[in-house]
Amino acid sequence: MTVNNFTKKHKVTVIGSGNWGTTVAKLVAENCAEHPDTFEKDVQMWVYEENVTLPKDSKHFDASIGEQPQKLTHILNTYHENVKYLPGIPLPHNLVANPSLVDAVKDSSILIFNLPHEFIGNICRQIKDHIAPYARGISCIKGVSVTDDKIELICNYVSDALNIYCGALSGANIASEIANEQWCETTIAYNTPLVDRRDENGKPVVTGESNDHTKQLTPLPLDYPPLDHNEWSLLFSRPYFTVSMVSDIVGVSLAGALKNIVAIACGYVEGHGWNMTAKTAVMRRGMQEIIRFANEFFPGQIEPRTFWEESAGWGDMIVSCTSARNWRCSKLAVERNLPIEEVEKTELNGQKLQGISTTREVSSFLRAKGAEERYPVFMAVERIIDQEIKVEEIPKLFK
Amino acid sequence: MTVNNFTKKHKVTVIGSGNWGTTVAKLVAENCAEHPDTFEKDVQMWVYEENVTLPKDSKHFDASIGEQPQKLTHILNTYHENVKYLPGIPLPHNLVANPSLVDAVKDSSILIFNLPHEFIGNICRQIKDHIAPYARGISCIKGVSVTDDKIELICNYVSDALNIYCGALSGANIASEIANEQWCETTIAYNTPLVDRRDENGKPVVTGESNDHTKQLTPLPLDYPPLDHNEWSLLFSRPYFTVSMVSDIVGVSLAGALKNIVAIACGYVEGHGWNMTAKTAVMRRGMQEIIRFANEFFPGQIEPRTFWEESAGWGDMIVSCTSARNWRCSKLAVERNLPIEEVEKTELNGQKLQGISTTREVSSFLRAKGAEERYPVFMAVERIIDQEIKVEEIPKLFK
C-alpha cells in the first residue's frame, strides 16, 4: 500500500443488514480496518431496528437481562454478531450498527445498497437530502424494475433518485458461504464517472468536449483518494472473495436478474427427473436469451464478455441453477406436485421468490413488445408456473 | 422431407461399438430408417470382435447354446442389443454389426469415428486404401494429440491420414442417458469442403479463384444428395438429441479435450469440501484459459461463440465438472486421500482417465512454449495430481 497525502478518507455506509447485507458489511469493514489510508476505519451499517430476544442457550445470554427483548442494534454493537440474520458469524468491531438511516449515511462518500429491492424507492426518498452530493454507490441488489413498457436497472434507479452515480455488484455468491469465508468470486460493474477520473498526477481528466451525462454530477472532491476500479477492488476483495472489476453495469444487472427465470426452469427440469445434460441445455439456451434480451432492449450498452466470462454471467447462472432458492423451490414444486407459489408460501417464511415476479414481469414486457417468439425459454417458464404446459414439452418448445 | 432424384444415397458406417459408439450408431440408424431419400437404410457398425458368454439370467439366454461363448457381432445381429457395452438398450434392426473393418467401410460416403483415441492411427492405416475417395467423416472422439512441439486435432489427423474431410461432434453428452433417450444437446462442427458446396440448383459452387486446401479433395459425386449442415443435422438429430451445426472444428475439438483438465480441478475442489460457488469459479477461469489457449495456438481459427454459446463449450464444461468421470475420480482421490492414478486403477476397470494424460500433455506443451504463466489453472492441476501443491492454495494461485 502506498502512503498518500489526501486529507480525507472515504467513509463507508452499508444500507441494509439482512443476511447478504451483513455479510457484505463484514468484508467491507475488514478491508476498511486494513487500508486506513483510503478508508475511515469505522463502517456504518444501517439496521432496520427491531427487538430481539436472546434465548437462554445463546452464548450472549445475559442473566441480568434475562429474556427481555433487546434492540438489534444494541446486540450488534455489544456482541458483534447479527444474531437474527447472520447468527454464529463474528463481525469486525469497527462495524457500527446504526438505527438512524439519515445519521448512518451522513458524510459518507461510499454507499452500499443491500436490501430487498421493493424497499429501495422508500430508502432513496428518505436519504436524498441527507447524503453527500459527491457520494458514490454500489448496489448489491439483484433485479430490475420492469413494467410493460419500461425496464430499469436498480443501480440506475438509485443513480437517478439520488443524483449520484451507482454501480452494481453481482456474482456466483451465496451469503452464508462468504460469511464463513469460503472462497468465491464476484463481479463489480462501475463505470467511473467522467468527473471523478484523474490522471497520473491526480488531476481531473474532465475536458469541455465530452457530452457524458456524468459531467453533471458533483465531482468527488480532490482531497479524497480517487474512487476508481482499484479502490472498489480494495474495498471488496478478501482472500476468500475475489473481485473482478468491469464497466458494464447493464450486463451485470441483467444477468443477475434474468438468470432467476432460467433457475426456475432448471428446477422444473430437475424435479421432473431429467439429468444434468438436460438442465445444462436449458441453462445454455437461457443464457442465449439473456444476451439476446440485453442486445435487443439495451442496444450498444453491454459487453458480451460480461455474460460469457464473468462471475456475474455464466458463474452466477451455474450456481443459481444448481444450488439457490429459485431452483430449489421449482424443483420442490414438481416433486410435491404443487404450484410453485404454494411451495414459496411453505418454504420461505413469508419471503418472496424473486424469480416468479421477474418471470411474470419479463413475460408481460415481452408480450407488450411483441417479442415472445424470440424468447421461448422465458415464455415457457411462465406457462409452466401457471401449469398451462408440462415440463415434458420443453425439448419441443425449444426447437 | 422433399423427394429428390439422386440415384445414390449416403451409406453410413460407424467405426467403433463401445458405449458411446453404439449409442451414436443407434440414433444414426434410427434416422437412416426415417430418411430413405437421403440415406441407405442399413447402417454398418464395425465391431472389434470378441467372444461373449450370455449369463443364464440374460433374456437372450438360449438353453440350446448354453454358456458357450458367442461372437459379439452374432449377438448384436441376432438380438439387436450390445450386451457387453450398452446392455438393456434395444437397437434398430437396420444397424448391422460387422467384424471386418475393411468390409464395413466399403462404398460408404459417411464414416463416423467413435473409438478410444489411441486406436485411431491404426484404424486409419487399415482403411486408407479401402474407403471411397469422396467419403466424409465425423469424429466423435474427444481429445487432441499433443506433443511438446505440436498439438493436433483428432478430426484433422483423420482428414490428413485418409485424405478426406472430417468434422467433429462434441457436447454435453452422457452416452447412457442418450441411449435411454433422455433429452440433451450436442454440437457438430463441419466446415463443408469447397468442392462439396452446391448452389440452389445443385450445381457445384467451386471456382478457380480460391486457394482453399479442400479443393484438392475428391468431390462428393453429384449423383449423391449433398452433404452439408442440413444433411448432417438430419443424420444426427433425434427428438431426444438436439443438434447445433457450426463450422468451427478447432473450437469444438479444443473445448472437448481441454475441459477435462478443468473437470479434474473441480473434482479436487469439491472433494475438499468446497462449495458450488468455488467450483464455479474454477470452471469460469478454466474456460478463460481454454479460450486463451485456442487464440494463442490456433490464431484466427476459432469462433469465440463456440465456447460461450454452444453445447460443446459451456454446456460440456458444466456437465463434465458436475457429473462425469474425470471429476468423479479426482473427487474420490481427495476423499480417499489417494493419488488420482490409484483411483483410476480401482474405479475404471483398466480404462484410463483422459483428463490425466491431457493435463500432462498440455502442461508439457505449455512449458515447451514458455507459456505457463498465462495458464495457472492448467498448470496447477498437474501439480495437484502430483501432490506438489494442495487444493487449499487454489485461490492464491489464481490471483
Side-chain angles (χ1 to χ4, degrees), chain A residues 61-238:
Chain A
F61 184 78
D62 180 342
S64 71
I65 299 172
E67 292 193 359
Q68 278 180 49
Q70 298 176 68
K71 291 202 186 309
L72 181 54
T73 51
H74 172 76
I75 290 174
L76 271 158
N77 290 331
T78 307
Y79 305 115
H80 308 288
E81 180 182 331
N82 189 335
V83 295
K84 180 140 189 194
Y85 297 108
L86 196 63
I89 303 294
L91 299 173
H93 291 207
N94 60 321
L95 179 63
V96 179
N98 189 334
S100 162
L101 181 58
V102 165
D103 188 61
V105 299
K106 188 163 175 266
D107 298 329
S108 284
S109 51
I110 294 179
L111 305 173
I112 298 170
F113 296 88
N114 204 333
L115 67 178
H117 94 275
E118 58 268 34
F119 301 140
I120 192 72
N122 191 20
I123 293 290
C124 287
R125 274 188 293 279
Q126 291 183 56
I127 66 176
K128 185 170 180 10
D129 299 326
H130 303 278
I131 59 172
Y134 51 80
R136 302 291 178 246
I138 290 289
S139 165
C140 303
I141 305 163
K142 290 189 183 180
V144 286
S145 158
V146 193
T147 58
D148 277 5
D149 45 17
K150 193 175 163 197
I151 179 160
E152 186 169 36
L153 313 182
I154 300 294
C155 58
N156 283 352
Y157 174 86
V158 171
S159 292
D160 292 347
L162 300 179
N163 195 30
I164 65 172
Y165 178 82
C166 183
L169 179 152
S170 182
N173 302 140
I174 294 182
S176 56
E177 294 179 8
I178 299 168
N180 282 294
E181 306 193 356
Q182 293 175 309
W183 178 58
C184 70
E185 302 182 310
T186 203
T187 309
I188 296 178
Y190 191 85
N191 194 6
T192 309
L194 207 59
V195 291
D196 287 355
R197 297 191 197 174
R198 302 184 189 175
D199 66 16
E200 287 165 7
N201 304 313
K203 305 275 184 221
V205 299
V206 101
T207 70
E209 291 149 36
S210 162
N211 56 4
D212 185 318
H213 77 281
T214 65
K215 275 190 67 184
Q216 288 151 32
L217 294 172
T218 305
L220 181 71
L222 293 174
D223 46 6
Y224 275 96
L227 202 42
D228 209 328
H229 284 187
N230 282 344
E231 291 72 28
W232 287 113
S233 183
L234 205 62
L235 183 60
F236 284 96
S237 296
R238 295 298 296 158

Side-chain angles (χ1 to χ4, degrees), chain A residues 172 177 182-183 185 242 275-278 280-281 283-285 288 308-311 314-315 318-319 322-323, chain B residues 172 177 182-183 185 242 275-278 280-281 283-285 288 308-311 314-315 318-319 322-323:
Chain A
E177 294 179 8
Q182 293 175 309
W183 178 58
E185 302 182 310
T242 303
N275 293 304
M276 195 65 196
T277 50
T280 299
M283 289 163 65
R284 192 184 73 79
R285 283 150 187 269
Q288 286 180 327
W308 296 325
E309 294 193 16
E310 285 296 329
S311 180
W314 260 116
I318 296 168
V319 168
T322 57
S323 336
Chain B
E177 296 179 7
Q182 293 175 309
W183 178 59
E185 302 183 309
T242 303
N275 292 305
M276 194 66 198
T277 49
T280 299
M283 290 163 63
R284 190 183 75 77
R285 283 151 186 268
Q288 286 180 328
W308 296 326
E309 294 195 15
E310 285 296 329
S311 180
W314 261 115
I318 296 168
V319 168
T322 56
S323 335

Side-chain angles (χ1 to χ4, degrees), chain A residues 185-378:
Chain A
E185 302 182 310
T186 203
T187 309
I188 296 178
Y190 191 85
N191 194 6
T192 309
L194 207 59
V195 291
D196 287 355
R197 297 191 197 174
R198 302 184 189 175
D199 66 16
E200 287 165 7
N201 304 313
K203 305 275 184 221
V205 299
V206 101
T207 70
E209 291 149 36
S210 162
N211 56 4
D212 185 318
H213 77 281
T214 65
K215 275 190 67 184
Q216 288 151 32
L217 294 172
T218 305
L220 181 71
L222 293 174
D223 46 6
Y224 275 96
L227 202 42
D228 209 328
H229 284 187
N230 282 344
E231 291 72 28
W232 287 113
S233 183
L234 205 62
L235 183 60
F236 284 96
S237 296
R238 295 298 296 158
Y240 55 87
F241 195 59
T242 303
V243 171
S244 167
M245 296 297 309
V246 301
S247 298
D248 178 10
I249 60 164
V250 176
V252 164
S253 299
L254 285 180
L258 299 176
K259 63 98 189 7
N260 284 328
I261 307 177
V262 187
I264 290 187
C266 284
Y268 280 121
V269 164
E270 191 166 342
H272 196 70
W274 291 14
N275 293 304
M276 195 65 196
T277 50
K279 209 168 84 167
T280 299
V282 173
M283 289 163 65
R284 192 184 73 79
R285 283 150 187 269
M287 181 57 88
Q288 286 180 327
E289 290 189 19
I290 292 176
I291 298 171
R292 191 173 303 143
F293 188 97
N295 280 318
E296 182 165 356
F297 301 109
F298 293 84
Q301 294 179 62
I302 60 154
E303 288 279 351
R305 62 167 295 285
T306 303
F307 300 96
W308 296 325
E309 294 193 16
E310 285 296 329
S311 180
W314 260 116
D316 192 17
M317 174 70 87
I318 296 168
V319 168
S320 299
C321 293
T322 57
S323 336
R325 169 194 275 200
N326 289 286
W327 161 79
R328 186 167 59 83
C329 287
S330 60
K331 185 162 168 280
L332 285 174
V334 183
E335 288 166 359
R336 298 178 182 170
N337 195 23
L338 286 173
I340 189 169
E341 277 101 344
E342 290 298 314
V343 176
E344 184 185 33
K345 277 181 204 155
T346 56
E347 293 292 312
L348 297 181
N349 292 319
Q351 288 184 64
K352 288 289 179 186
L353 267 190
Q354 191 68 54
I356 297 179
S357 55
T358 304
T359 300
R360 295 202 185 284
E361 287 165 7
V362 168
S363 300
S364 174
F365 174 80
L366 290 172
R367 269 191 296 275
K369 298 284 180 191
E372 302 103 301
E373 285 195 2
R374 293 190 288 285
Y375 300 90
V377 176
F378 291 174

Side-chain angles (χ1 to χ4, degrees), chain B residues 90-112:
Chain B
L91 299 173
H93 292 206
N94 60 321
L95 179 63
V96 179
N98 190 335
S100 163
L101 181 58
V102 166
D103 188 62
V105 298
K106 190 165 174 262
D107 298 330
S108 284
S109 52
I110 293 179
L111 304 174
I112 298 168

